[in-house]
Amino acid sequence: MKIKAKIVFTVFSACIVLSSCGENSALTQFRKSMDDFCTKISEIDTSINNIDAESEQAADELLTYLDDLDIVFQSFARLDFPEEFNYLENLADESSEYMTEAVKSYHDAFGNGTYNESTAEYARENYSRAYKRVQIIISFLHGEEPQDPDLTIEYGSD
């Protein structure tokens, strides 16, 4: 839960930073799209956290919210990043692909009224990978280098 809160806070912070950028139309549209993305994932995250785990419908509710999250991540991957952030588009695509795989795996994990722990673990790993890429994107949008030991940054010679 703390990781989710940190991710949501980071995403909202990026939205604030982007809103303070210059007023060129591509950047303005990108800022609005990022704001929408931030808002939607925050709303879905809140809904997921409010599911009553004891409810008979808990798994179905979770899967519905995850389906919604997958759609939001797919929209995120289709964003037209401004030229200065073009290098981040592949990370957005990867983020969406990981979320799609996570959601598919969660459906498999809860399929047929049973629960498959190993499939759920695979889903959690992909879910984390999707959000990790969002965190990396947000760090770069903030003008910071992500502090991740698993991340190697290569600088091109332009």
Side-chain angles (χ1 to χ4, degrees):
M1 292 296 184
K2 288 183 182 183
I3 292 173
K4 283 186 195 178
K6 185 176 179 181
I7 291 169
V8 170
F9 175 76
T10 303
V11 171
F12 277 126
S13 296
C15 294
I16 291 168
V17 167
L18 288 172
S19 66
S20 66
C21 294
E23 286 302 317
N24 104 24
S25 63
L27 201 52
T28 300
Q29 180 57 41
F30 181 69
R31 182 184 74 225
K32 181 186 178 325
S33 297
M34 286 299 297
D35 286 345
D36 291 345
F37 175 72
C38 296
T39 300
K40 289 174 185 171
I41 65 169
S42 176
E43 289 170 353
I44 294 169
D45 182 60
T46 298
S47 296
I48 288 172
N49 288 326
N50 287 329
I51 293 173
D52 177 6
E54 301 300 318
S55 166
E56 288 183 23
Q57 294 81 25
D60 290 336
E61 286 181 59
L62 174 63
L63 295 174
T64 298
Y65 290 131
L66 289 171
D67 288 339
D68 294 344
L69 192 61
D70 188 25
I71 292 167
V72 171
F73 269 73
Q74 288 174 20
S75 295
F76 177 61
R78 288 190 301 270
L79 279 181
D80 186 21
F81 282 64
E83 188 174 322
E84 60 266 35
F85 300 117
N86 227 11
Y87 64 97
L88 298 172
E89 283 192 38
N90 287 339
L91 281 175
D93 293 342
E94 287 178 14
S95 178
S96 176
E97 290 166 10
Y98 279 121
M99 185 56 71
T100 296
E101 183 63 23
V103 171
K104 178 187 169 299
S105 297
Y106 275 122
H107 277 275
D108 292 345
F110 287 99
N112 300 323
T114 62
Y115 178 72
N116 183 312
E117 180 63 38
S118 64
T119 304
E121 179 58 32
Y122 177 70
R124 277 189 291 277
E125 290 169 6
N126 282 299
Y127 185 88
S128 293
R129 288 179 184 117
Y131 272 101
K132 184 175 193 176
R133 277 148 183 81
V134 170
Q135 286 178 305
I136 291 168
I137 290 169
I138 302 245
S139 292
F140 281 118
L141 292 175
H142 279 202
E144 303 167 357
E145 286 187 14
Q147 300 300 314
D148 188 324
D150 297 328
L151 180 66
T152 303
I153 301 172
E154 295 179 14
Y155 297 97
S157 56
D158 290 337

